[in-house]
């Protein structure tokens, strides 16, 4: 069973003005589309065909670089579309809010750490909020790596992630990554982040 490009739960224009429709369409159809088909090609005829994406991430050190790049790209963008929501977002609450307070002092403390990770990632990559046992941690990874990979410096289950590749923001923000990161904050789907958190 080959991996499939997921449909979005909202229109390409739904995240405007924070993320523009053209960026969304190219990002989804071209970038995520290419990661998906290139992943399928890289796995074809290998023992890894039919494994889950999580199993593939956990064994990535033994797989070709094409699987690392495209499998990471496939997984990361699936998460990215799901943790975004049109029309602003609710605040974290319940067990997730408690865990953010425990780990970062406050939601503001978490935001500061997350934004710093997103802005200090040199070149292309991602910043993450990840869960490691009962702890929440912020990290960042280069390229299409993620915290599920056995090669990751900081391992865990990502529950929130921001794509800081220029293709995620350049049409609207050009070189202004900080403006994109601030805009992203308005779009976080905290219900989905909470669903991914195992309290
Ligand atoms: Mn991307």
């Amino acid at each position: 069973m080959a991996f499939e490009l997921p449909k979005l739960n909202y229109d390409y224009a739904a995240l405007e003005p924070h993320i523009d429709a053209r960026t969304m369409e190219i990002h989804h159809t071209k970038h995520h589309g290419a990661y998906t088909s290139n992943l399928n090609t890289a796995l074809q005829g290998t023992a890894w065909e039919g494994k889950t994406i999580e199993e593939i991430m956990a064994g990535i050190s033994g797989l070709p670089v094409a699987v690392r790049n495209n499998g990471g790209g496939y997984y990361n963008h699936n998460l990215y579309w799901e943790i975004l929501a049109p029309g602003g977002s609710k605040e974290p609450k319940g067990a997730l809010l408690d865990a953010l307070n425990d780990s970062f002092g406050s939601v503001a403390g978490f935001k500061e750490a997350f934004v710093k990770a997103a802005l200090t990632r040199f070149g292309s990559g991602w910043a993450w909020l990840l869960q490691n046992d009962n702890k929440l941690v912020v990290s960042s990874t280069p390229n299409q790596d993620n915290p599920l990979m056995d090669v990751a410096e900081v391992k865990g289950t990502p529950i929130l992630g921001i794509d800081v590749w220029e293709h995620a923001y350049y049409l609207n923000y050009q070189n202004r990554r900080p403006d994109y990161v601030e805009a992203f904050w308005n779009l976080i789907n905290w219900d989905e982040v909470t669903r991914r958190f195992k309290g």
Side-chain angles (χ1 to χ4, degrees), residues 27 31-32 35 73 76-77 80-81 126 144 163-165 167-168:
H27 201 174
H31 292 275
H32 199 187
Y35 295 130
N76 296 348
H77 290 83
Y80 182 75
W81 310 129
W126 291 72
Q144 294 296 354
D163 186 348
V164 295
W165 284 57
H167 69 227

Side-chain angles (χ1 to χ4, degrees), residues 151-186:
V151 295
E153 262 176 58
V154 184
K155 294 182 196 57
T157 304
I159 64 171
L160 174 66
I162 181 169
D163 186 348
V164 295
W165 284 57
E166 285 185 344
H167 69 227
Y169 61 87
Y170 206 84
L171 291 180
N172 197 32
Y173 295 100
Q174 294 82 50
N175 62 322
R176 302 190 307 279
R177 189 190 290 188
D179 292 353
Y180 158 69
V181 174
E182 189 60 37
F184 172 91
W185 198 261
N186 297 310

Side-chain angles (χ1 to χ4, degrees), residues 26-48:
I26 295 170
H27 201 174
H28 180 241
T29 62
K30 305 295 186 191
H31 292 275
H32 199 187
Y35 295 130
T36 305
S37 61
N38 291 340
L39 172 62
N40 289 329
T41 300
L43 292 174
Q44 212 162 27
T46 76
W48 291 85

Side-chain angles (χ1 to χ4, degrees), residues 6 23 25-26 34 40 47 59 64 68 93 95 98 105 110 137 139 141 148 151 153 159 168 191:
T23 295
E25 183 176 4
I26 295 170
N40 289 329
R68 179 170 173 173
K93 57 188 184 222
D98 292 344
F110 159 62
V137 183
S139 78
T141 53
L148 290 177
V151 295
E153 262 176 58
I159 64 171
D191 290 342

Side-chain angles (χ1 to χ4, degrees), residues 18-90:
H18 303 297
I19 301 178
D20 63 286
R22 183 92 176 115
T23 295
M24 287 294 294
E25 183 176 4
I26 295 170
H27 201 174
H28 180 241
T29 62
K30 305 295 186 191
H31 292 275
H32 199 187
Y35 295 130
T36 305
S37 61
N38 291 340
L39 172 62
N40 289 329
T41 300
L43 292 174
Q44 212 162 27
T46 76
W48 291 85
E49 216 175 359
K51 302 279 192 195
T52 67
I53 193 65
E54 288 83 3
E55 289 170 326
I56 291 168
M57 297 295 97
I60 209 71
S61 61
L63 284 159
V65 70
V67 177
R68 179 170 173 173
N69 290 340
N70 293 291
Y74 173 76
Y75 175 91
N76 296 348
H77 290 83
N78 283 358
L79 179 142
Y80 182 75
W81 310 129
E82 289 183 7
I83 56 83
L84 294 174
S89 63
K90 301 178 185 73

